[in-house]
Amino acid sequence: MVVDAFPDREIIIKDKPLLYFGGTAYLGLPTHPDFQKNIISGIKKWGTAYGSSRNANIKLAIFNEAEHLFAKLIKAEAAVTCSSGTLAGKLVVEYLSKSDNAFYHYPKTHPAILQIKSLPLFIDGELHPNLLNHTVENIVITVDAFLGLEVTPTSFEFLDTIPSNKKITLVVDESHSLGIVGNFLEGVFTTISNKNLVRKIMVSSLGKALGISGGIVAADKVFIDALKNEPDFISSSSISPAYLEAFVLSQQIIKAQQKKLQTNLEFLFDGFYLNADFKFNKNYPVIYCEDEKIVEHLFEIGMVITHFKYPTYKKSMCRIVITSNHTKTDLTKLKESLIDFNRSS
């Protein structure tokens, strides 16, 4: 389906408006009028793009202002932005690959933080045996805060079973939790602690809940300063400074949209029961369905959801997304349709 305008709560297919429950604009910011005004204000001040290196002699003040604000809200020592979440992940992995680190990845980890020689964290449901031996070594574990087909945060209890001779750097991708899980921008990253952790690093797309085309890395100041001196960071284009201006100006808008999303979730999931084909969590704006017939069922009654084959999964993804911009009428129709499908399946 090719469309000619941004799909918000509605999508136009062959001149016909349908309800849209897909995408990743959880907070509905891309079409929010006041957020758009702040984007325009940012463009007028900083231009549409800034192609110079971040390490050039002329530096734009908005980068430090926005990154300091991000770090404060995420509860990290420091943060740095870049042009995409994928670049954020790859910058971190490439930098850590230069040191004597053994890499392990959680099942179904996003390709952006999957190092080429990384070993699976688990084999047949048990920790990789290399993690339980007596070798003293530095290891890097990469993991998504929310896996692609999950609606609850990844459990980090496995950290407690790794012996103290392993010094752990944990890289957490928060692309599908930043801004929608926890208090404002305090996501899963904030809650993780373990005695063996020598460093924890958050990477994330900003183009999901926050509606900003770019990515971010948050960690301790020493790590962020080192990352800023990496060749790939120095030579790559930055995130548009106009977007960072909009982020700084839009704090109250983001909070209001978060509140609307929570209200929508409470309304939708009140008295909501479905069979095992569905996976949902009343505090998370995504419903997954394993039965691909749901796609056609919803389409026939005027609704479109996300449906495609994800690189690290065997099955196609049937993903129903609730945003801040959906109305109670939208949600009632969705709820009734899902319950009807559930009864007939």
Side-chain angles (χ1 to χ4, degrees):
M1 297 179 186
V2 178
V3 298
D4 296 320
F6 186 88
D8 186 29
R9 52 170 288 275
E10 282 191 342
I11 189 170
I12 307 298
I13 305 293
K14 295 181 180 179
D15 298 324
K16 181 181 179 181
L18 307 172
L19 289 179
Y20 185 56
F21 292 95
T24 59
Y26 305 111
L27 297 182
L29 290 172
T31 58
H32 192 289
D34 292 334
F35 186 73
Q36 290 181 341
K37 286 179 184 177
N38 287 340
I39 294 282
I40 293 169
S41 176
I43 290 173
K44 288 180 177 179
K45 184 174 182 179
W46 299 109
T48 58
Y50 188 65
S52 179
S53 170
R54 286 284 305 273
N55 289 33
N57 58 318
I58 300 299
K59 304 182 190 309
L60 305 189
I62 189 60
F63 286 107
N64 279 343
E65 182 183 358
E67 288 166 356
H68 287 156
L69 179 57
F70 268 119
K72 178 182 176 182
L73 297 174
I74 294 168
K75 293 205 176 317
E77 283 187 9
V80 64
T81 55
C82 57
S83 59
S84 75
T86 293
L87 179 60
K90 291 189 177 296
L91 283 172
V92 168
V93 169
E94 288 180 14
Y95 176 77
L96 293 173
S97 296
K98 295 179 180 181
S99 301
D100 185 23
N101 292 310
F103 279 77
Y104 296 86
H105 57 274
Y106 200 89
K108 302 174 183 176
T109 292
H110 192 283
I113 54 171
L114 193 59
Q115 202 252 14
I116 191 168
K117 295 182 180 179
S118 181
L119 299 172
L121 184 63
F122 300 103
I123 296 178
D124 296 328
E126 301 292 333
L127 276 176
H128 195 292
N130 289 0
L131 292 169
L132 301 174
N133 63 31
H134 298 296
T135 304
V136 177
E137 60 181 341
N138 298 316
I139 65 171
V140 175
I141 298 175
T142 60
V143 57
D144 289 4
F146 273 73
L147 296 176
L149 293 175
E150 299 296 333
V151 294
T152 54
T154 299
S155 170
F156 291 89
E157 291 182 358
F158 66 85
L159 292 172
D160 297 330
T161 63
I162 299 175
S164 60
N165 53 294
K166 310 297 182 184
K167 303 305 177 185
I168 304 169
T169 293
L170 185 68
V171 181
V172 182
D173 187 333
E174 288 243 44
S175 296
H176 291 280
S177 50
L178 186 68
I180 56 173
V181 173
N183 181 29
F184 199 31
L185 296 191
E186 295 176 28
V188 175
F189 170 82
T190 309
T191 67
I192 303 167
S193 63
N194 182 271
K195 63 182 184 301
N196 292 347
L197 281 180
V198 296
R199 170 169 281 150
K200 63 176 182 174
I201 303 163
M202 187 207 82
V203 302
S204 181
S205 166
L206 298 174
K208 309 294 193 282
L210 296 181
I212 297 170
S213 182
I216 190 168
V217 182
D220 56 275
K221 189 176 185 303
V222 170
F223 182 82
I224 295 299
D225 286 345
L227 206 63
K228 288 179 180 179
N229 286 308
E230 281 296 287
D232 284 347
F233 178 80
I234 295 170
S235 61
S236 64
S237 296
S238 67
I239 185 175
S240 170
Y243 290 139
L244 296 182
E245 179 81 11
F247 171 73
V248 171
L249 295 175
S250 300
Q251 297 296 290
Q252 295 308 312
I253 296 172
I254 295 169
K255 289 178 181 177
Q257 290 298 98
Q258 286 178 323
K259 188 174 182 180
K260 285 178 65 177
L261 179 59
Q262 188 56 48
T263 299
N264 277 352
L265 296 181
E266 289 171 359
F267 176 80
L268 175 65
F269 291 128
D270 181 35
F272 194 64
Y273 301 99
L274 297 173
N275 66 26
D277 284 338
F278 292 90
K279 187 181 292 184
F280 62 92
N281 171 0
K282 65 180 182 179
N283 295 312
Y284 194 64
V286 177
I287 302 170
Y288 290 103
C289 183
E290 292 190 0
D291 189 341
E292 292 190 44
K293 292 194 293 291
I294 188 65
V295 179
E296 188 63 28
H297 171 80
L298 292 177
F299 185 73
E300 287 177 353
I301 51 180
M303 285 177 275
V304 175
I305 66 172
T306 297
H307 179 229
F308 70 108
K309 179 70 172 64
Y310 201 71
T312 51
Y313 293 84
K314 294 179 180 179
K315 294 183 177 181
S316 294
M317 181 186 292
C318 300
R319 193 169 187 264
I320 302 164
V321 177
I322 298 90
T323 77
S324 304
N325 290 347
H326 284 120
T327 67
K328 287 188 176 180
T329 301
D330 300 339
L331 298 174
T332 298
K333 183 174 182 179
L334 174 66
K335 187 173 184 175
E336 291 174 349
S337 301
L338 292 178
I339 292 172
D340 179 61
F341 179 83
N342 182 73
R343 286 174 182 155
S344 61
S345 62

